[in-house]
Amino acid sequence: MNNDFLGKPAWLWFIFLIIVGALLAFDLGVLHKDDKELGVAESLALSAFYIAIAMVFGAWLWWSMGPVSGMEYFTGYALEKALSIDNVFVISLIFGYFAIPAKYQYRALLWGILAVLILRGIMIGLGAALVQQYEWVLYIFGAFLIATGVKMLVMGDSPQDVSKNPIVRFLSKRMRVTDELHGPLFFVRKLDPATGKLARFATPLFLALVVINIADLVFAVDSVPAIFAITTDTYIVFTANIMAILGLRALYFALAAMVHRFEYLKYALAIVLVFIGVKIFWNQIVGKVDPSISLGVTLSIIATGVFYSLWKTRGAVAHEIAVSETEAPPRLQEGRSPSPSAGTDP
């Protein structure tokens, strides 16, 4: 257990994976053993619990590895958390397209974490290997982050159309997919109209799970280089990433209801990406920036984006209340979901 693994003793990795496994088991097996709709209050309380765990873990890193490692962890955690807010909007679009009831969404998100752990682990491992072998790769990361930040500032977000997603089309054409949900099941056995025999069918919940994880992989293309720009310590990169993801799943249901309130946060994130990209070049050419400065600048920019967004969209709250008093939108009914073949051929 004392053998070195990616720059840290193996027992450190083992402890962290035990913590993650225990959190997932407690969340899925105890708190949400039965499928139910997660309310905003419960979502915020559970998110506060995950944030507290992340803070305690960061404090332990600070105490055991020193203030530099601690500040790098907290900077990476804050950055990954903020970058994930855009992911919430995409996830809500995916669930809406497949008409997944709220009581099944949390289970799908939790099972999705297992895939995210593997995918992020692979990407971080590859990134660490590249940085160790070819330090000049950091320049590519820096240029990519600057270009991404400038693009976000100039072009903003393009509208998302899940029905035109190539993954949805590919899966719908090559898999048997039911037109309706079957509770929390990802697969069911039913008669195939084409053969008249029992066959395994995927449900819309499975398609939603796959598309969500593909979306997370796409977001990782931005987030992984960003955190490697903060630190090349693979352990800190991985733990900060995973802690932010675990908490995001808990916060999803509160954020999904008010994601439009963070309209201007994307500009703050764009500035953060440019700052981190420039910092890479500064570190390599001039000298390493003090981690406390990186943490302070990152948190200040993100906080400014959050508070400015909430202030600019404060009028939307009163409008929503007025609309809700006159309109009662129909609730999604289980068993009635738009066919994944809308615009495709299952």
Side-chain angles (χ1 to χ4, degrees):
M1 293 297 287
N2 288 319
N3 292 337
D4 182 83
F5 181 72
L6 295 177
K8 289 290 185 292
W11 65 266
L12 272 177
W13 293 94
F14 182 74
I15 286 177
F16 180 73
L17 293 178
I18 288 294
I19 293 172
V20 172
L23 287 172
L24 289 176
F26 176 72
D27 205 332
L28 185 59
V30 178
L31 293 181
H32 299 94
K33 186 175 182 179
D34 299 321
D35 294 303
K36 62 177 182 178
E37 183 173 346
L38 191 67
V40 173
E42 187 180 356
S43 173
L44 290 173
L46 189 56
S47 178
F49 167 75
Y50 274 112
I51 291 173
I53 295 293
M55 294 298 104
V56 170
F57 183 79
W60 176 76
L61 283 181
W62 192 300
W63 173 78
S64 63
M65 298 184 186
V68 172
S69 294
M71 281 186 285
E72 288 176 343
Y73 167 83
F74 283 116
T75 304
Y77 176 79
L79 177 63
E80 293 298 322
K81 196 75 157 177
L83 287 172
S84 296
I85 291 180
D86 271 351
N87 207 352
V88 168
F89 177 69
V90 174
I91 291 172
S92 64
L93 282 178
I94 294 169
F95 279 143
Y97 173 73
F98 290 106
I100 307 299
K103 66 178 181 177
Y104 300 138
Q105 291 178 10
Y106 198 82
R107 182 174 291 269
L109 290 171
L110 275 173
W111 282 111
I113 289 177
L114 298 176
V116 170
L117 288 171
I118 297 172
L119 293 173
R120 289 290 177 106
I122 292 172
M123 291 192 69
I124 290 170
L126 290 174
L130 284 173
V131 170
Q132 283 187 347
Q133 192 73 21
Y134 310 104
E135 193 173 348
W136 52 265
V137 169
L138 286 172
Y139 289 108
I140 298 177
F141 284 176
F144 174 76
L145 293 174
I146 293 172
T148 301
V150 171
K151 181 181 176 182
M152 288 172 64
L153 284 171
V154 174
M155 300 182 61
D157 291 334
S158 56
Q160 303 280 338
D161 187 349
V162 179
S163 65
K164 296 180 180 178
N165 186 291
I167 302 299
V168 175
R169 291 185 171 183
F170 178 84
L171 292 176
S172 297
K173 289 180 178 179
R174 288 162 177 79
M175 295 181 66
R176 299 183 181 93
V177 182
T178 64
D179 289 335
E180 68 285 337
L181 289 169
H182 288 265
L185 300 178
F186 294 119
F187 293 94
V188 293
R189 292 184 66 82
K190 56 182 294 187
L191 286 176
D192 185 349
T195 63
K197 298 180 180 179
L198 280 176
R200 183 182 294 271
F201 281 73
T203 67
L205 187 62
F206 174 76
L207 291 191
L209 176 65
V210 172
V211 177
I212 285 170
N213 280 282
I214 295 297
D216 184 84
L217 187 60
V218 172
F219 276 97
V221 173
D222 287 339
S223 66
V224 170
I227 197 169
F228 265 112
I230 295 170
T231 176
T232 56
D233 188 322
T234 311
Y235 186 75
I236 294 177
V237 170
F238 183 76
T239 54
N241 245 280
I242 300 307
M243 281 296 187
I245 292 170
L246 287 174
L248 176 71
R249 293 313 197 248
L251 190 57
Y252 165 78
F253 293 93
L255 287 180
M258 55 183 295
V259 70
H260 59 285
R261 297 291 310 277
F262 298 97
E263 179 180 353
Y264 297 93
L265 178 60
K266 61 178 176 287
Y267 298 111
L269 294 177
I271 294 172
V272 169
L273 291 180
V274 172
F275 165 71
I276 293 174
V278 170
K279 187 168 75 72
I280 289 180
F281 287 93
W282 184 277
N283 286 346
Q284 300 299 315
I285 298 173
V286 180
K288 189 172 178 62
V289 176
D290 190 321
S292 61
I293 295 176
S294 295
L295 177 60
V297 171
T298 301
L299 290 179
S300 298
I301 295 173
I302 292 173
T304 300
V306 169
F307 289 118
Y308 184 73
S309 294
L310 294 175
W311 179 72
K312 287 291 288 185
T313 59
R314 64 194 184 281
V317 176
H319 176 71
E320 289 170 0
I321 294 175
V323 170
S324 65
E325 291 176 349
T326 57
E327 297 181 1
R331 293 177 61 84
L332 290 173
Q333 298 179 1
E334 181 181 347
R336 297 285 306 271
S337 69
S339 168
S341 61
T344 65
D345 257 332

